[in-house]
Amino acid sequence: MTTVLFDATRLLLRAPRGAPTGIDRVALAYAHWLTARTDIDLKPVWGVGGALTQMSRQRFAQLLAAAMPYGATGEANEAPSPAWPKLVAALQAPDDRSVLRSQPSAGPDLKAALWFGGLALRTPMLLAAAKTSAGAVYLNVSHFGLEQPGLLARLARAGVRPVVMIHDLIPIRWPEYCAPGAAARHARRIEGALRHGRLIIANSRATADDLAAYAAATGLPLPELCIAPLGLSAPFHGRPTPLSTPRPYFLAIGTIEPRKNLAFLLTLWNRLAERLGAAAPRLVVVGRRGWENEAVLDLLERAPGVRRLVHEVADLRDSELAQLVAGASALLAPSLAEGFDLASLEALALGTPVIASDIAAHRELATGARLVDPLDGPGWARAIEASLQARPTPAPFSAPTWEQHFTLVGPALDRCAG
């Protein structure tokens, strides 16, 4: 029986968040998949300063039960997220006097404070070094800890076979879209994976091509690659009741950060407000505030058309987000760079039109979307106004599932273990 050391660091550190990001969802999906497999000896681990510490299966099960509940399935009877009733009321209001803004909390989040306080108290008891043995597989699907120099090298020297998922090379290819220091940190991750990895899982052909090009440019070896698109959560495979509103609205989903190109989109919305007046559509921006986003915040807080028409919200439940997507005139994804872009696929799966940037990941995965150059302001304005006049009939779209993902990953992982 193969031993799998599954790195649960990201789940442990981000558990108190209400809604998971895309990479959080991947870590959760793998955790549940590995837990259900009876043909492996699962050993959850988490990283501290480049060293791996063990986590009991009981503690791991408790972590999965508590982690990021808004991304859970089977949530029909649960209370709505705090932002959902406010957003529904704002979108169903006939006028624009109830614009919603996501405000950062003035103090520490109580749930997060309690979580990390409890973790700190337990840390001395949790710092038992993980037991590694030759032939075991170390699996990291979240990037967390891979920037630590020597982690994968030490595992490889001990006969452990590192398997990592690479989500994108954006900090290396486009450092201007990321926080300071991100490029060097991500380069350490990628170079460690290339030097010591036995298997690399890529979420798209676009990511795999970027990885191969980087390996060729740096003279590093390229391990076996498994290209496996990510799956969608259960609400996006169903038929949710679309949110009904008296006026049309569009959606943009994702962390508010430079590569999402939201400053461009909000500038465009300000122009639409000037030109269309009372007929201008609303826009809902769904996502937490990230980094290097001063231009976006200035537009949200000061541009007249944006202040009147754009709602900002975060931490919705998956079921709520599915309703919101289903009722939108279109999902807008003007990103300058993506490795996968889960939101576009979720919209297409629900039959909602998608207007997306003409970049490699969207050309590969967002089949049926209307693609526009991410800097073509007039082109985006025409596409949005055309969607206002007549909601496009979406092309047939086969939504990727986690079952399909693991059908690709499972055999590759077994070959690595074998």
Side-chain angles (χ1 to χ4, degrees), residues 25 27 58 119 121 139 157-158 173 186 196 209 219 230 236 239 252 263 280 376 395 405:
R25 293 173 189 278
Q58 180 181 7
L119 182 61
L121 290 174
L139 179 59
R157 284 196 299 270
R173 293 197 62 195
H186 204 53
H196 306 293
D209 288 346
L230 309 179
F236 298 97
R239 286 292 176 263
D376 180 5
H405 177 90

Side-chain angles (χ1 to χ4, degrees), residues 70 75-81 317 320:
Y70 290 2
E75 53 189 332
N77 296 323
E78 294 183 6
S81 61
R317 294 189 183 279
E320 296 164 349

Side-chain angles (χ1 to χ4, degrees), residues 197-217:
R198 285 290 190 94
L199 171 69
I200 293 180
I201 305 164
N203 56 3
S204 66
R205 168 58 63 183
T207 297
D209 288 346
D210 284 348
L211 187 65
Y214 185 82

Side-chain angles (χ1 to χ4, degrees), residues 100-104 287-289 311-314:
L100 189 65
R101 282 285 175 273
S102 176
Q103 296 294 338
R288 288 194 169 197
R289 295 183 178 185
H311 302 271
E312 179 198 1
V313 68

Side-chain angles (χ1 to χ4, degrees), residues 11-391:
L11 295 179
L12 188 67
L13 296 181
R14 295 168 71 88
R17 290 176 67 105
T21 65
I23 296 181
D24 297 333
R25 293 173 189 278
V26 174
L28 285 166
Y30 268 80
H32 289 294
W33 176 62
L34 291 168
T35 300
R37 287 190 61 168
T38 58
D39 59 334
I40 65 169
D41 180 20
L42 176 61
K43 302 287 187 184
V45 297
W46 62 293
V48 179
L52 295 179
T53 63
Q54 66 185 25
M55 181 187 299
S56 71
R57 287 294 297 271
Q58 180 181 7
R59 175 65 182 142
F60 187 56
Q62 293 170 347
L63 175 63
L64 292 186
M68 293 165 280
Y70 290 2
T73 57
E75 53 189 332
N77 296 323
E78 294 183 6
S81 61
W84 179 245
K86 300 176 185 177
L87 178 62
V88 172
L91 288 177
Q92 291 182 340
D95 54 48
D96 298 319
R97 289 180 294 180
S98 302
V99 175
L100 189 65
R101 282 285 175 273
S102 176
Q103 296 294 338
S105 60
D109 178 84
L110 179 59
K111 180 181 177 184
L114 291 173
W115 175 268
F116 288 117
L119 182 61
L121 290 174
R122 292 192 303 272
T123 293
M125 296 179 288
L126 295 173
L127 290 180
K131 297 178 181 178
T132 59
S133 57
V137 169
Y138 167 72
L139 179 59
N140 186 318
V141 298
S142 72
H143 291 176
F144 258 51
L146 296 179
E147 69 280 357
Q148 294 289 341
L151 171 62
L152 297 186
R154 287 194 298 272
L155 290 169
R157 284 196 299 270
V160 177
R161 300 160 184 180
V163 177
V164 302
M165 176 179 283
I166 300 300
H167 294 267
D168 59 65
L169 277 75
I170 290 171
I172 298 172
R173 293 197 62 195
W174 295 283
E176 66 272 24
Y177 302 152
C178 303
R185 185 165 57 249
H186 204 53
R188 292 196 297 271
R189 294 172 180 144
I190 299 300
E191 290 172 10
L194 291 173
R195 290 182 188 280
H196 306 293
R198 285 290 190 94
L199 171 69
I200 293 180
I201 305 164
N203 56 3
S204 66
R205 168 58 63 183
T207 297
D209 288 346
D210 284 348
L211 187 65
Y214 185 82
T218 55
L220 293 171
L222 185 65
E224 179 185 351
L225 286 177
C226 174
I227 301 171
L230 309 179
L232 308 185
S233 62
F236 298 97
H237 286 286
R239 286 292 176 263
T241 302
L243 182 63
S244 177
T245 59
R247 291 170 53 188
Y249 67 89
F250 290 78
L251 272 181
I253 300 174
T255 301
I256 299 177
E257 55 173 302
R259 70 180 177 89
K260 293 296 185 179
N261 208 17
L262 287 175
F264 166 86
L265 186 61
L266 295 181
T267 301
L268 174 62
W269 227 262
N270 208 41
R271 296 283 181 86
L272 286 173
E274 292 174 357
R275 189 163 71 251
L276 300 180
R282 291 163 167 166
L283 172 66
V284 182
V285 176
V286 182
R288 288 194 169 197
R289 295 183 178 185
W291 48 89
E292 304 290 323
N293 55 23
E294 291 82 2
V296 173
L297 300 185
D298 284 344
L299 286 162
L300 285 169
E301 294 164 6
R302 295 159 59 184
V306 172
R307 285 173 57 85
R308 179 167 68 88
L309 294 169
V310 178
H311 302 271
E312 179 198 1
V313 68
D315 289 339
L316 298 180
R317 294 189 183 279
D318 279 4
S319 56
E320 296 164 349
L321 187 59
Q323 279 188 267
L324 191 64
V325 171
S329 294
L331 178 113
L332 307 178
S335 305
L336 296 161
E338 290 284 358
F340 188 78
D341 192 10
L342 193 62
S344 291
L345 274 63
E346 290 170 342
L348 291 168
L350 295 180
T352 297
V354 172
I355 306 171
S357 53
D358 191 0
I359 58 175
H362 287 152
R363 290 193 292 271
E364 174 190 351
L365 298 166
T367 54
R370 179 170 180 173
L371 301 183
V372 185
D373 186 282
L375 298 179
D376 180 5
W380 276 85
R382 287 192 297 270
I384 290 167
E385 291 188 48
S387 295
L388 272 177
Q389 294 167 7
R391 195 175 195 260

